[in-house]
């Protein structure tokens, strides 16, 4: 057997053959009594585990082990290799050994220098010791061989493939592994052998390897090896990442530092160095004028003295100088924020944003409280909603409305506390964190500071938790003494107006969430989008493309078509982008002299933007029995979800695919039980497969219950579900439809997708208030108390008729309420 050619090559150099395979032949033979058939000569291993199928070098030193190895080699018998429990122990008794090991053939015996004996052993099969026998000058034991059956089942196959993949990944992460190894792994076709080979190569304790050896069941062994390998791969990947990241950060800082140095040298050469004294004076003046609190000023003056002494030429001098510049340029003086004029604020908010009445009212209330009690600790506004609904731009608008400076700190992907709080000055190229940087850019500490996308904050890693640093920034009890690591002195953030944005609330760390006053922005209806486009987006895009309003006209029909057929979103971001593309093409025409002005109508869009992006998916997908349209809540504003069910020959199982969460899986089970109950069809020889096509929609929660049930009964009854109906609701095993959340988002998503009728749990009726009137008017709502209501509306027949032949049942209709 030769499963690992590279190892084989390594272990059999040509000169190894010079030592005879059976040294000392005949010398000990005469004195020994013969071994029973089921006995093996035992060679204890201090520090290694031999695996079946693996060729491995073994060194023996103890006289009894040497005798054992020689006898095994002489008689060409297999020997049994057992791991010792305590590697330090010399005199061994049976209990000092593990009783499961590998029998192997000694294929080379090499007597090295200084009397060491080296073996090359080909591991062959697992065995378990039955009993140790006396009477030989080495250990002997009666054993039972344990052969792993090369069974094959889908479960083993799946683990085998996964193990291959992971092993190859590990090989690629390891620096000094021969390239051929990946190929060898790829070509292997024995799961048992792969598991043993990986276990053999893994850099884990011998005790761990021994447990792999002792796991006779192949499936469990594969699982064990996968787990061990998984851990190693994680560690390898992390250490590679850390290596890469530190190198990169260091390179960047280093580079900046070197450049600065070169600049100073050049300045010196050019005779500009003379000015340093004057420059230091300038810095002194800046420090004196900055309006620092007394202790900070004292500290700055002391550092300045140090700088004078040091001279600017030195590397440390230039770092110190940068530091003092930072200190002197921060807006220490507390300019009293302009008094808030509520009427003016209302005007500005209305100018900048269409609609959003409820939200604007909340903002004005917030400002009114701030106005009446400027010193009070008001909560922090937090805008939550899908992308493109105006969260960031509302923040800008608030700044404009209150006459304050606006700065934004993007928190997405912030992993490192230092990004928020800065690096200590001892770091080469250290800088303040992004809060202090934003304050300096704003040149004010009473401005509006937006912490954008706080829900995308990375989890704290080895560099400290960024969310705890933010907590300090946002805590009115602490933020008057905010300490940035770079500055090393307190800075008062208590007058900053913080505004936070997020797509979803639930990934925001709890303590942070508690500080905030959350305002939800759910998304816009088609009509609202049309208004926003006509009032704001077209205007803005005209300007961006250098067009005058009379040069390019986008008809209302064209905008509606863009909204309906080229975008499907809760916000207006893509809408603005598509309008931009249309106007760019108009600008081209005008620039090339083909036209003075361009009017774009709905019929022109195909030529400009290409085929419609969102075709009438509904009709296509739901034409056959077994498909129902569900509604899902998503962080980006709700979406429709096709639930597909089909029958395959099998044994009455339910197969679920589409990466569903646990709750959704359970809800599928419940739907199936209920569907079986109604249909009465025996399904012992059939598997039912329910699939929820992937897409980016997260799929968990109980609210797809009704849709799953409908997909299943539609399949079993052979009747399609109406294509213009979408549904949501949890079901109980008694067929009741229970209430769900996210009604507003789901209804808006249904409308966007071209649904005409929405089926909702009766107990959600009160939530309809939240849905904009324009959307309500365009949809029919059917309120469900039981799944029978759902069947009546979605399939058009009563439950009693559902499973009878189609010809006897006239199609019914929904009893809808507008
Ligand atoms: N109600 C509205 N009225 C006018 N423009 C809007 C409105 N809502 C969003 N916009 C515009 O849509 C674009 C995207 O908004 P943005 O603030 O970036 O969204 P978000 O921060 O929520 O992702 C901006 O140009 C914004 O001005
Ligand atoms: Mg934004």
């Amino acid at each position: 057997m030769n499963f690992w050619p590279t190892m084989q090559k390594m272990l059999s150099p040509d000169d190894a053959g010079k030592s005879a395979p059976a040294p000392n032949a005949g010398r000990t033979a005469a004195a020994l009594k013969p071994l029973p058939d089921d006995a093996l000569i035992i060679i204890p291993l201090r520090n290694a585990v031999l695996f079946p199928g693996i060729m491995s070098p073994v060194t023996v030193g103890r006289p009894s082990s040497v005798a054992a190895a020689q006898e095994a080699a002489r008689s060409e018998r297999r020997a049994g290799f057992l791991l010792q429990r305590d590697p330090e122990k010399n005199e061994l008794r049976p209990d000092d050994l593990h009783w499961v090991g590998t029998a192997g053939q000694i294929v080379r015996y090499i007597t090295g220098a200084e009397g060491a004996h080296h073996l090359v052993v080909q591991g062959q099969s697992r065995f378990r010791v039955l009993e140790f026998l006396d009477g030989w000058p080495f250990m002997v034991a009666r054993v039972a061989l344990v052969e792993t059956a090369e069974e094959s089942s889908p479960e083993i196959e799946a683990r085998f493939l996964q193990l291959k993949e992971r092993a190859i990944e590990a090989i690629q992460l390891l620096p000094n592994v021969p390239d051929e190894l990946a190929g060898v792994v790829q070509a292997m076709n024995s799961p048992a052998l792969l598991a043993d080979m990986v276990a053999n190569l893994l850099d884990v304790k011998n005790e761990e390897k021994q447990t792999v050896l002792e796991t006779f069941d192949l499936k469990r062994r594969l699982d064990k090896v996968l787990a061990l390998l998984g851990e190693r791969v994680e560690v390898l990947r992390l250490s590679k990442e850390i290596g890469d990241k530190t190198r990169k950060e260091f390179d960047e800082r280093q580079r900046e530092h070197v450049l600065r140095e070169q600049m100073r040298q050049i300045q010196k050469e050019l005779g500009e160095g003379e000015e340093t004294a004057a420059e230091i004076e300038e810095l002194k003046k800046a420090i004196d004028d900055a309006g620092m609190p007394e202790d900070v000023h004292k500290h700055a003056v002391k550092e300045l003295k140090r700088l004078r002494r040091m001279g600017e030429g030195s590397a440390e001098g230039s770092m110190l100088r940068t530091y003092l510049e930072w200190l002197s340029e921060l807006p220490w003086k507390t300019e009293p924020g302009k008094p808030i004029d509520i009427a003016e604020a209302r005007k500005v908010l209305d100018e900048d944003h269409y609609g959003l009445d409820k939200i604007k009212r909340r903002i004005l209330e917030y400002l009114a409280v701030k106005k009446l009690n400027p010193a009070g600790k008001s909560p922090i506004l937090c805008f939550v909603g899908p992308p493109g609904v105006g969260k960031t731009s509302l923040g800008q608008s608030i700044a404009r409305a209150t006459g304050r400076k606006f700065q934004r700190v993007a928190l997405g992907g912030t992993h490192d506390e230092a990004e928020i709080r800065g690096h200590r000055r001892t770091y080469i190229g250290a800088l303040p964190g992004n809060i202090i940087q934003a304050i300096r850019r704003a040149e004010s500490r009473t401005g509006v500071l937006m912490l954008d996308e706080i829900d995308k904050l990375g989890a704290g890693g080895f560099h400290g938790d960024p969310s705890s640093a933010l907590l300090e920034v946002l805590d009115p009890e602490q933020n008057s003494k905010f300490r940035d690591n770079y500055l090393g002195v307190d800075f008062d953030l208590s007058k900053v107006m913080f505004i936070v944005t997020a797509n979803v609330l639930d990934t925001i760390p709890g303590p942070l969430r508690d500080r905030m006053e959350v305002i939800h922005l759910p998304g816009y209806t088609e009509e609202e989008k049309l208004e926003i486009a006509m009032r704001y987006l077209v205007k803005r895009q005209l300007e961006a493309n250098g067009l005058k309003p009379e040069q390019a006209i986008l008809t209302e029909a064209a905008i509606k078509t863009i909204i309906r057929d080229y975008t499907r979103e809760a916000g207006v971001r893509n809408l603005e982008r598509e309008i931009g593309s249309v106007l760019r093409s108009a600008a081209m025409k005008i620039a090339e002299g083909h036209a003075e002005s361009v009017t774009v109508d709905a019929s022109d869009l195909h030529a400009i933007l290409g085929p419609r992006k969102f075709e009438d998916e509904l009709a296509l997908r739901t034409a056959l029995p077994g498909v129902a349209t569900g509604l899902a809540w998503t962080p980006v504003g709700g979406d429709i979800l096709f639930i597909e069910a089909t029958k395959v020959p099998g044994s009455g199982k339910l197969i679920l695919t589409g990466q569903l969460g646990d709750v959704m899986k359970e809800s599928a089970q419940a739907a199936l039980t209920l569907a079986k109950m109604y249909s009465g069809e025996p399904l012992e020889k059939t598997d039912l497969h329910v699939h929820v096509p992937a897409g980016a929609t997260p799929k968990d929660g109980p609210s797809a219950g009704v849709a799953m049930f409908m997909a299943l009964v539609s399949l079993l009854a052979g009747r399609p579900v109406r294509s213009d109906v979408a549904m949501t609701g949890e079901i109980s095993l008694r067929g009741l439809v229970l209430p769900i959340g996210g009604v507003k988002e789901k209804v808006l998503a249904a409308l966007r997708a071209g649904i005409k009728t929405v089926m909702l749990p009766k107990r959600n009726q009160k939530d309809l208030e939240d849905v904009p009137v324009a959307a309500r008017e365009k949809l029919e709502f059917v309120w469900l108390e039981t799944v029978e209501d759902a069947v009546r509306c979605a399939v058009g027949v009563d439950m009693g008729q559902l499973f009878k032949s189609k010809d006897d049942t006239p199609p019914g209709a929904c009893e809808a309420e507008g």
Side-chain angles (χ1 to χ4, degrees):
M1 278 193 282
N2 178 12
F3 295 104
W4 195 16
T6 52
M7 182 68 147
Q8 168 95 353
K9 247 181 268 155
M10 254 155 51
L11 291 178
S12 14
D14 288 339
D15 62 354
K18 283 181 199 148
S19 13
N24 309 327
R27 200 177 64 192
T28 50
L32 293 174
K33 57 176 176 181
L35 262 64
D37 280 348
D38 61 349
L40 288 176
I41 298 172
I42 297 297
I43 300 180
L45 299 173
R46 283 183 203 272
N47 259 320
V49 177
L50 180 69
F51 281 94
I54 306 296
M55 177 93 70
S56 191
V58 170
T59 301
V60 289
R62 276 172 283 206
S64 62
S65 297
V66 172
Q70 288 181 347
E71 174 58 16
R74 188 201 60 80
S75 60
E76 295 184 22
R77 280 187 76 102
R78 302 203 286 188
F81 294 84
L82 293 177
L83 177 68
Q84 110 187 25
R85 292 184 192 273
D86 174 5
E88 304 299 327
K89 207 155 186 175
N90 282 322
E91 293 299 321
L92 298 176
R93 301 160 34 77
D95 283 347
D96 294 326
L97 294 168
H98 288 275
W99 279 35
V100 171
T102 298
Q105 198 79 42
I106 299 175
V107 296
R108 287 275 187 284
Y109 193 115
I110 305 153
T111 312
E114 290 148 23
H117 297 250
H118 304 287
L119 319 177
V120 176
V121 182
Q122 172 67 58
Q124 287 173 344
S125 64
R126 288 176 159 72
F127 67 85
R128 182 198 289 285
V129 172
L130 301 175
E131 59 173 336
F132 279 86
L133 304 175
D134 288 328
W136 285 270
F138 35 75
M139 293 177 116
V140 170
R142 286 185 48 236
V143 304
L145 295 182
V146 182
E147 296 293 348
T148 304
E150 283 284 347
E151 52 191 311
S152 176
S153 68
E155 286 168 318
I156 296 217
E157 198 56 24
R159 288 168 171 79
F160 180 40
L161 287 181
Q162 207 185 344
L163 184 58
K164 259 192 191 179
E165 243 168 57
R166 287 240 118 179
I168 289 172
E169 190 181 350
I171 289 168
Q172 280 155 354
L173 285 167
L174 284 168
N176 303 317
V177 168
D179 291 343
E180 304 98 296
L181 195 50
V184 173
V185 169
Q186 188 59 51
M188 286 182 69
N189 52 21
S190 157
L193 185 57
L194 179 65
D196 285 341
M197 181 178 127
V198 171
N200 175 55
L201 290 177
L202 268 178
D203 178 17
V204 296
K205 289 205 193 76
N206 284 321
E207 294 296 325
E208 304 255 35
K209 293 191 181 188
Q210 180 69 27
T211 55
V212 173
L213 192 69
E214 289 177 9
T215 308
F216 298 149
D217 177 61
L218 184 54
K219 194 172 99 199
R220 283 188 27 238
R221 193 189 316 156
L222 284 163
D223 280 340
K224 195 159 272 176
V225 174
L226 263 171
L228 288 174
L229 181 60
E231 272 168 38
R232 288 304 300 167
V233 169
E234 259 340 284
V235 170
L236 286 172
R237 204 184 290 147
L238 264 183
S239 60
K240 185 165 174 314
E241 238 168 58
I242 296 169
D244 288 353
K245 187 157 182 251
T246 350
R247 198 172 323 113
K248 190 163 143 260
E249 273 177 16
F250 185 76
D251 286 352
E252 274 166 18
R253 282 202 301 270
Q254 193 74 343
R255 185 166 163 273
E256 191 181 313
H257 181 66
V258 169
L259 286 176
R260 237 180 249 294
E261 270 311 294
Q262 284 175 346
M263 194 172 76
R264 298 240 186 265
Q265 288 303 327
I266 292 169
Q267 283 171 339
K268 235 190 198 158
E269 300 270 311
L270 293 174
E272 287 171 9
E274 255 86 285
E275 285 172 51
T276 49
E279 267 172 30
I280 286 190
E281 274 323 294
E282 225 170 79
L283 196 52
K284 165 121 188 29
K285 188 163 176 311
I287 288 170
D288 290 344
D289 292 349
M292 300 172 183
E294 214 180 298
D295 52 333
V296 178
H297 182 253
K298 236 190 216 155
H299 164 78
V301 169
K302 212 170 101 205
E303 293 291 287
L304 189 70
K305 256 192 206 143
R306 238 164 37 95
L307 177 62
R308 273 211 186 96
R309 251 185 286 128
M310 213 176 286
E312 278 210 75
S314 69
E316 214 195 328
S318 80
M319 265 152 52
L320 192 48
R321 187 193 154 88
T322 315
Y323 171 70
L324 287 169
E325 278 167 5
W326 265 100
L327 272 190
S328 66
E329 283 168 16
L330 285 179
W332 295 98
K333 291 181 196 143
T334 340
E335 69 279 29
K338 233 172 77 179
I340 296 170
D341 177 344
I342 297 292
E344 168 71 13
R346 178 175 292 131
K347 194 179 119 244
V348 171
L349 289 179
D350 281 338
E351 264 170 29
D352 289 351
H353 290 92
Y354 172 81
L356 300 176
D357 296 334
K358 225 162 141 187
I359 285 139
K360 288 177 187 162
R361 195 166 350 112
R362 294 272 300 273
I363 294 174
L364 288 172
E365 283 164 13
Y366 167 86
L367 292 177
V369 172
K370 248 195 152 37
K371 177 186 168 81
L372 294 179
N373 184 9
K377 298 184 184 354
S378 47
I380 287 142
L381 283 184
C382 175
F383 297 132
V384 176
V389 293
K391 300 181 297 296
T392 306
S393 75
L394 270 174
Q396 283 166 322
S397 191
I398 292 176
R400 195 165 86 86
T402 55
R404 280 162 166 76
K405 299 266 179 52
F406 178 83
Q407 281 300 329
R408 175 176 164 266
V409 172
L411 293 175
T414 303
H415 285 286
D416 191 343
E417 192 194 356
E419 288 174 59
I420 300 201
R421 211 205 282 273
H423 279 292
R424 291 188 186 287
R425 258 201 293 158
T426 43
Y427 257 63
I428 300 175
L431 279 181
N434 47 21
I435 302 290
I436 289 293
Q437 298 210 17
I439 296 284
R440 182 170 84 161
R441 281 199 305 274
E443 298 176 343
S444 160
R445 59 169 162 178
T446 54
V448 172
L449 186 60
M450 172 163 278
L451 302 175
D452 218 0
E453 313 206 318
I454 201 167
D455 54 333
K456 307 239 169 48
L457 204 63
F462 2 82
H463 297 302
D465 185 358
S467 69
S468 69
L470 270 187
L471 205 55
E472 223 173 278
V473 170
L474 294 177
D475 183 354
E477 305 291 332
Q478 300 184 52
N479 67 9
S480 61
K481 288 186 180 323
F482 175 68
R483 187 168 281 228
D484 181 280
N485 287 325
Y486 179 77
L487 294 186
V489 295
D490 293 344
F491 189 88
D492 183 359
L493 295 175
S494 61
K495 299 280 186 307
V496 175
M497 198 190 288
F498 288 103
I499 297 179
V500 175
T501 79
N503 285 152
V504 283
L505 214 46
D506 42 344
T507 57
I508 305 179
L512 274 175
R513 211 179 330 164
D514 292 345
R515 303 234 180 286
M516 301 176 195
E517 168 156 348
V518 173
I519 299 184
H520 286 279
L521 289 92
Y524 299 114
T525 61
E526 220 170 279
E527 285 69 28
E528 287 173 320
K529 288 184 188 174
L530 181 65
E531 291 296 330
I532 294 173
M534 297 208 298
R535 287 167 202 239
Y536 298 90
L537 307 181
V538 173
K539 210 179 287 172
R540 204 168 331 151
Q541 287 301 320
L542 279 171
E543 257 171 49
N545 290 294
L547 290 167
K548 296 198 195 71
E550 63 275 13
Q551 282 179 307
I553 292 161
L554 210 52
T555 64
E556 197 176 310
I559 298 178
K560 270 192 188 152
T561 307
I562 298 180
I563 294 172
R564 217 170 284 154
D565 296 344
Y566 288 91
T567 63
R568 183 184 290 167
E569 57 178 349
V572 292
R573 204 171 272 177
N574 295 325
L575 176 58
E576 181 164 6
R577 194 174 309 140
E578 298 295 343
I579 290 174
S581 316
V582 171
L583 292 180
R584 256 195 308 287
S585 88
M588 270 298 267
K589 274 199 191 136
I590 294 170
E592 285 173 346
H594 294 316
E596 291 274 296
S597 73
V598 179
T599 300
V600 180
D601 204 354
S603 54
D604 304 320
L605 291 174
H606 186 95
I608 304 173
L609 295 176
R612 294 187 298 170
K613 292 193 183 125
F614 298 99
E615 296 259 6
D616 197 358
E617 221 181 343
L618 287 172
L620 282 176
R621 301 287 286 261
T622 52
L624 294 174
V627 184
T629 311
L631 291 170
W633 181 90
T634 73
V636 293
D639 206 349
I640 58 169
L641 208 59
F642 294 105
I643 300 201
E644 303 171 343
T646 188
K647 278 197 273 200
V648 287
S651 55
K653 284 199 299 288
L654 174 63
I655 305 168
L656 292 170
T657 52
Q659 303 195 345
L660 314 182
D662 287 343
V663 180
M664 196 149 171
K665 284 185 189 156
E666 283 171 9
S667 139
Q669 276 294 356
L672 176 61
T673 306
L674 203 54
K676 273 185 184 165
M677 218 172 70
Y678 279 111
S679 81
E681 189 177 329
L683 293 168
E684 296 90 47
K685 297 238 163 61
T686 314
D687 284 347
L688 287 173
H689 185 163
V690 174
H691 180 60
V692 186
T697 314
K699 280 165 283 190
D700 204 4
S703 73
V706 172
M708 300 224 212
F709 172 77
M710 280 311 310
L712 286 166
V713 290
S714 149
L715 175 77
L716 296 177
R719 297 172 190 259
V721 175
R722 268 173 57 192
S723 68
D724 57 353
V725 185
M727 59 204 84
T728 178
E730 181 175 355
I731 51 174
S732 81
L733 279 180
R734 288 184 301 142
L736 297 179
V737 177
L738 309 174
I740 44 79
V743 168
K744 187 193 328 178
E745 286 85 356
K746 287 175 175 175
V747 169
L748 292 179
L751 189 62
R752 279 201 292 281
I755 297 284
K756 303 256 160 34
T757 305
V758 179
M759 306 199 303
L760 294 164
K762 175 109 183 172
R763 281 160 64 188
N764 278 112
Q765 219 159 0
K766 59 179 186 333
D767 299 323
L768 200 60
E769 269 174 42
D770 298 342
V771 177
V773 178
R776 260 187 270 170
E777 283 170 353
K778 296 190 131 179
L779 289 168
E780 311 240 301
F781 293 90
V782 174
W783 302 101
L784 309 176
E785 278 177 278
T786 66
V787 290
E788 304 191 0
D789 302 336
V791 168
R792 197 173 308 119
C793 170
V795 185
V797 295
D798 278 335
M799 187 67 96
Q801 305 291 314
L802 185 64
F803 294 98
K804 299 204 175 134
S805 125
K806 271 187 205 170
D807 311 327
D808 318 342
T809 50
C814 298
E815 290 160 34
E817 301 165 29

